[in-house]
Amino acid sequence: MEVDSQAEKSKPTVAPQRCRLGIVLSGGGSRGVAQIGVLRALLENRIEPECVAGVSAGAIVGALYASGYSPAKMLEFFKTIDPFRLIHVSFGKPGLLDPLKLVPAFQRYFPENSFEQLQRKLVIAATDLLSGDPTVFASGELILPVLASSSFPMVFSPVEIDGRWYGDGGIVDNFPVKLLSGHCEVTLGVHVSQIREMSITEFGSSLSIMERALEVGMIARSRANFAACDLVILPKDLARFGMFDTKHFDEIEAAGYEAAAARMDEIKQLVRR
């Protein structure tokens, strides 16, 4: 499926204009819902990021936030749209599930399907699986880039955009603070990928090993980028939730809210300086 989209390859600084406050939203599968809790805490304190950089789950949350949806509506999105139902099984494509089958559901939340129609500036990244390069999306069609950015390898089929195959942006950079570099006076980060000790018995499939290997690599690269943020929020105990856990969204969201609330005084100082 080919679409008309404007993508810029390997450009780390493409935020449309300088803003006062930017926020970086990492990948993390279902744990990305914790970022909704962080945004809820910020908005309750009248702190509204103007620019958003997101990848994978963070791209979805970022798109919802940039569209102007409330935290309650964002959480409703994840509870309503289940990407793991059997109707999304991929046929004749690499990957277990076909993200293109989610397009009609996404269209209900993004009817204008355009970066330009968003209420806040959004920049997301996906991985060009043909070249191995990161590709930045900040204009043109919205839905397919968001789906591409969140298409976890082996689980989801690649998303075709302009004749190129794209997969999860977190493969290359799961904490895309570079997308906002030099464009924000203050940059907050939310990192929801956490690692826990595992036992040998938990590796029951090739997919579990693949997931673990990607997770370890992503977290190591992300930590190296934390210093580029003024403050990074790390919700606690998210490691107990699986990357594809769809049964505990309320708990995951609450973990993000509590983490942001615990650092709200620091955040307010940064924003008001």
Side-chain angles (χ1 to χ4, degrees):
M1 179 176 181
E2 296 187 8
V3 298
D4 180 18
S5 178
Q6 300 176 38
E8 298 183 44
K9 289 192 176 183
S10 305
K11 287 189 177 182
T13 54
V14 296
Q17 62 186 40
R18 187 166 181 82
C19 68
R20 171 62 179 154
L21 176 62
I23 191 166
V24 182
L25 304 177
S26 79
S30 295
R31 302 164 192 164
V33 170
Q35 295 169 143
I36 298 174
V38 171
L39 290 168
R40 177 162 66 95
L42 293 176
L43 293 173
E44 284 181 357
N45 286 273
R46 299 183 179 179
I47 298 172
E48 181 178 320
E50 305 153 56
C51 298
V52 187
V55 69
S56 198
I60 299 175
V61 174
L64 290 165
Y65 171 72
S67 293
Y69 286 108
S70 68
K73 290 293 290 185
M74 287 188 265
L75 186 58
E76 176 189 280
F77 173 93
F78 281 92
K79 289 181 175 181
T80 303
I81 299 177
D82 182 357
F84 308 112
R85 287 186 296 167
L86 291 179
I87 62 169
H88 300 138
V89 168
S90 174
F91 295 102
K93 296 181 179 181
L96 300 175
L97 305 175
D98 185 355
L100 294 185
K101 293 185 178 180
L102 289 167
V103 169
F106 271 64
Q107 287 174 331
R108 295 199 298 270
Y109 282 83
F110 307 106
E112 295 177 320
N113 192 18
S114 168
F115 277 90
E116 286 76 14
Q117 296 302 315
L118 297 173
Q119 296 181 19
R120 303 172 178 106
K121 303 303 180 183
L122 173 69
V123 185
I124 63 176
T127 301
D128 185 328
L129 297 176
L130 303 183
S131 68
D133 295 324
T135 300
V136 176
F137 294 88
S139 63
E141 184 170 355
L142 175 67
I143 293 174
L144 287 189
V146 170
L147 288 172
S149 180
S150 53
S151 291
F152 192 81
M154 290 184 64
V155 177
F156 292 100
S157 302
V159 174
E160 185 175 348
I161 301 175
D162 293 339
R164 308 292 294 183
W165 271 15
Y166 293 96
D168 199 308
I171 298 171
V172 176
D173 185 358
N174 202 41
F175 189 72
V177 63
K178 293 179 181 179
L179 299 183
L180 296 182
S181 178
H183 291 277
C184 303
E185 295 178 27
V186 177
T187 304
L188 303 179
V190 188
H191 189 262
V192 297
S193 288
Q194 296 179 4
I195 200 157
R196 65 180 177 85
E197 183 75 21
M198 294 182 69
S199 65
I200 293 176
T201 57
E202 291 181 83
F203 293 105
S205 67
S206 297
L207 180 59
S208 65
I209 296 174
M210 174 72 171
E211 179 184 334
R212 179 65 166 185
L214 284 171
E215 190 175 40
V216 170
M218 287 177 180
I219 290 174
R221 290 192 297 272
S222 295
R223 287 172 177 165
N225 292 330
F226 284 178
C229 285
D230 293 283
L231 184 147
V232 179
I233 298 169
L234 302 166
K236 296 180 179 179
D237 301 325
L238 290 183
R240 64 192 178 95
F241 302 107
M243 288 189 68
F244 307 115
D245 185 336
T246 60
K247 297 180 179 179
H248 299 93
F249 285 145
D250 287 323
E251 294 175 59
I252 296 171
E253 192 272 350
Y257 181 87
E258 292 168 6
R263 305 197 66 180
M264 193 55 64
D265 287 343
E266 296 174 74
I267 296 170
K268 287 179 178 179
Q269 289 180 3
L270 285 170
V271 172
R272 294 170 181 170
R273 72 182 180 186

